[in-house]
């Protein structure tokens, strides 16, 4: 029987750890050229929108294959579909519907970067933004580091207060709203940038030595929430997909800067093929673009874990 | 709630009529350039096989969009996925899993051709082949014509006897096994060719004037079950997708023959844009190639009809 999971099935604090471990396997496969992750495929329905397909899979002993599809039609409700096959016996392992899997995946990519780039003894985290991505990035950080304090800043005071009380409750972590972006990041060992700000809200002078910074979502040359001086100050700049970062319709925010050609592939850092953090004083920067195909790997791990009556 | 249908939900003799009517709408949309039906999209998993996506949709007042995906991995079990959205409000109408929908769709395309090309008073049908396609083609013919007699031939005597008794039971139709292909088609007003024979088993001399012939699946120049003289004798040669017929890796069986450029699009015949049957004496030939995207339209109609608790 094909398992079918919906958003209401994707609950529980253990899911993030499962997702991060699944992605660790996927990124190691990527470093070994065994991750299948072709470019997105769009089909247009004139005047309506597109169906967008991303395919993913891992070759090797227990090969996986699958896809995610989402649409860009106008509507209040949007349901993604992720399906996974075991590619050695053509068995459809299951289908995951809804929006949670995608958020979990994006959070988990951030968690994987924090696992491999942030100081192992990081205790303090600063968060810029208070939306869904900020929540999953914080949950991912808490899954890989023994955090004891967080500060959150977003422009709307109510939002940052709500974020602090909700996430304190969810993660059992001391979280306080900060009065400014600078205050949120001043003492942070890890910084999460999850705003939609088109102007720089922090600069290198605002940060501690040794800090690791995660950014989420496309940053373009015309709009990015962190100063280019942070990239210049970073000893390591990594991304989950250099090819996707280069393929954005608007140039990636580092394009044309002195940092452009220093972007390393997180997969290579994890596999020891590229240099990661060299000392506790270095600044490291991870720019997440959402490596295509990784939803399939996360869905597969969750389907394996859950025995759901269908 | 997203409806999810599996093979066991796709039962009942009314489904074929629903599928044929849905395809009638789709083919009329195709004639009016409102059917979205781009070429298949393949993604390869080296040494394992492909995921193959076909996308389909209808533009207009109640726009539909969706896709089918299947895999070519090695395995005993193969599960296709078809998903349908209403494209005006981005609502995922449902998902259909399994193999039945594809068979139903292929049968229904044949039924649509029979509705528009065979003599309206056709009573007798001859079937070559006794597999799944032969079954659905016969069921489709019975849904659009008031048949009273069928003859079936396939090389294996046991298979044709089993087919006759099973389908007689299912359709309430007098069905007898025939001793040869010629005997099966000799008195037929409608002929179904659903074998995998690579050599011609019937020729023009075996057929009655006024007969309509349906073929299913790819016929190539190197392998086809009906003689080229039948195409030459036919007043009308139609297909559900001239572009797909031309795109086969092996040349279509009519390529290079005098009949090659007489292939009409069934959609145009249905819409009155191309000539169909002109008299009760004419031979008509329909070569089904399985117009991509039509599974979505059939799935949509079935999902609309069925109220399934999820």
């Amino acid at each position: 029987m094909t398992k079918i999971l919906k958003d209401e099935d994707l609950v529980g604090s253990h899911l993030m750890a499962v997702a991060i471990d699944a992605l660790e396997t996927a990124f190691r496969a990527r470093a070994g050229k065994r991750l299948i992750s072709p470019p997105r495929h769009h089909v247009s329905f004139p005047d309506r929108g597109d169906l967008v397909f991303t395919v993913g899979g891992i070759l090797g002993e227990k090969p996986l294959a699958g896809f995610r599809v989402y649409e860009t039609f106008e509507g209040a409700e949007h349901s993604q579909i992720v399906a996974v096959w075991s590619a050695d016996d053509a068995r459809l392992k299951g289908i995951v519907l809804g929006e949670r899997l995608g958020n979990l995946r994006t959070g988990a990519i951030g968690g994987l970067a924090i696992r491999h780039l942030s100081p192992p003894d990081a205790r303090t985290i600063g968060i810029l933004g208070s939306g869904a991505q900020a929540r999953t990035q914080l949950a991912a950080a808490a899954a890989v580091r023994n955090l004891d304090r967080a500060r959150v800043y977003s422009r709307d005071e109510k939002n940052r207060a709500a974020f602090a009380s909700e996430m304190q409750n969810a993660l059992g972590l001391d979280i306080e709203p900060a009065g400014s972006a600078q205050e949120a990041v001043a003492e942070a060992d890890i910084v999460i940038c999850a705003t939609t700000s088109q102007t720089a809200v922090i600069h290198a002078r605002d940060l501690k030595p040794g800090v690791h910074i995660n950014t989420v979502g496309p940053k373009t040359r015309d709009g990015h929430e962190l100063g280019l001086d942070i990239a210049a100050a970073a000893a390591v700049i990594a991304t989950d997909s250099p090819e996707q970062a280069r393929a954005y319709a608007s140039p990636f925010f580092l394009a044309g800067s002195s940092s452009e050609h220093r972007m390393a592939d997180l997969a290579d850092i994890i596999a020891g093929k590229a240099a990661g953090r060299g000392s506790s004083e270095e600044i490291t920067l991870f720019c997440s673009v959402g490596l295509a195909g990784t939803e399939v790997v996360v869905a597969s791990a969750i389907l394996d874990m859950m025995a759901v009556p269908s």
Side-chain angles (χ1 to χ4, degrees), chain A residues 286-297:
Chain A
F286 175 69
C287 302
S288 174
V289 295
L291 176 61
T294 46
E295 298 88 354
V296 170
V297 178

Side-chain angles (χ1 to χ4, degrees), chain A residues 16-42:
Chain A
M16 183 57 83
V18 169
I20 294 170
D21 287 347
L23 288 178
E24 173 105 31
T25 303
F27 276 72
R28 288 184 186 276
R30 175 171 162 86
K33 313 279 184 216
R34 292 183 298 104
L35 185 75
I36 303 287
S37 173
R40 286 170 170 78
H41 175 65
H42 293 251

Side-chain angles (χ1 to χ4, degrees), chain A residues 84-154:
Chain A
V84 188
W85 283 263
S86 55
D88 49 353
D89 62 357
R91 192 174 51 88
L92 180 59
K93 294 176 72 162
I95 294 175
V96 184
L97 299 175
E99 296 186 57
R100 283 217 178 135
L101 182 74
N103 288 339
L104 187 64
R105 187 283 307 238
T106 304
I109 289 178
L112 191 61
I114 291 169
R115 176 185 277 171
H116 289 280
L117 287 171
S118 76
D121 58 352
R123 291 284 177 275
T124 303
I125 187 166
I127 304 128
L128 304 177
S130 57
Q133 299 286 10
R135 282 169 165 75
T136 52
Q137 292 288 316
L138 175 56
V144 298
R145 286 293 180 262
N146 190 14
L147 302 176
D148 51 35
R149 206 161 63 119
R151 279 191 176 148
V152 57
Y153 175 75
S154 73

Side-chain angles (χ1 to χ4, degrees), chain A residues 15-307:
Chain A
L15 286 184
M16 183 57 83
V18 169
I20 294 170
D21 287 347
L23 288 178
E24 173 105 31
T25 303
F27 276 72
R28 288 184 186 276
R30 175 171 162 86
K33 313 279 184 216
R34 292 183 298 104
L35 185 75
I36 303 287
S37 173
R40 286 170 170 78
H41 175 65
H42 293 251
V43 178
S44 279
F45 294 80
D47 302 327
R48 295 296 165 181
D50 290 4
L51 285 184
V52 184
F53 297 87
T54 59
V55 168
I58 297 184
L59 302 176
E61 241 180 79
K62 284 191 165 188
L64 285 184
F67 69 91
R68 173 181 67 145
V69 60
Y70 61 91
E71 37 68 27
T72 64
F73 307 140
E74 271 183 46
E77 185 193 322
H78 291 278
S79 208
Q80 299 196 359
I81 302 174
V82 177
V84 188
W85 283 263
S86 55
D88 49 353
D89 62 357
R91 192 174 51 88
L92 180 59
K93 294 176 72 162
I95 294 175
V96 184
L97 299 175
E99 296 186 57
R100 283 217 178 135
L101 182 74
N103 288 339
L104 187 64
R105 187 283 307 238
T106 304
I109 289 178
L112 191 61
I114 291 169
R115 176 185 277 171
H116 289 280
L117 287 171
S118 76
D121 58 352
R123 291 284 177 275
T124 303
I125 187 166
I127 304 128
L128 304 177
S130 57
Q133 299 286 10
R135 282 169 165 75
T136 52
Q137 292 288 316
L138 175 56
V144 298
R145 286 293 180 262
N146 190 14
L147 302 176
D148 51 35
R149 206 161 63 119
R151 279 191 176 148
V152 57
Y153 175 75
S154 73
R155 274 184 308 182
D156 186 313
E157 203 176 325
K158 257 190 284 182
N159 287 349
R160 61 193 194 237
F163 180 96
S165 83
E166 183 191 323
M167 295 304 289
Q168 178 153 332
N169 202 36
L171 300 175
L173 190 64
D174 186 19
I175 309 185
E176 58 190 42
S180 69
Q182 283 64 37
E183 193 188 318
V185 305
E187 293 170 36
D189 304 312
I190 299 169
V191 168
I192 303 291
C193 294
T195 77
T196 54
S197 174
Q198 298 295 297
T199 54
V201 293
I202 53 168
H203 290 91
R205 63 176 177 270
D206 302 319
L207 300 168
K208 271 199 349 188
V211 68
H212 170 75
I213 304 133
N214 261 14
T215 77
V216 191
K219 312 292 167 208
T220 67
R221 217 158 46 187
D222 297 336
H224 47 272
E225 66 210 319
L226 75 175
L228 283 177
D229 60 342
I230 293 177
V236 177
I237 306 175
T239 178
D240 45 337
S241 177
E243 60 274 28
Q244 279 177 226
R246 279 191 297 268
Y248 280 124
S250 301
F252 193 65
F253 81 116
L254 299 179
S257 82
S258 61
S259 303
E260 179 176 8
H261 301 292
R262 296 199 295 129
M263 294 263 285
D265 193 318
L266 179 64
D268 292 336
I269 293 174
I270 292 173
K273 292 181 166 184
R277 170 175 291 276
S279 82
S280 61
E281 298 299 300
E282 284 180 2
I283 291 179
T284 52
L285 172 62
F286 175 69
C287 302
S288 174
V289 295
L291 176 61
T294 46
E295 298 88 354
V296 170
V297 178
V298 173
S300 178
I302 292 173
L303 286 161
D304 285 346
M305 187 190 66
M306 287 190 172

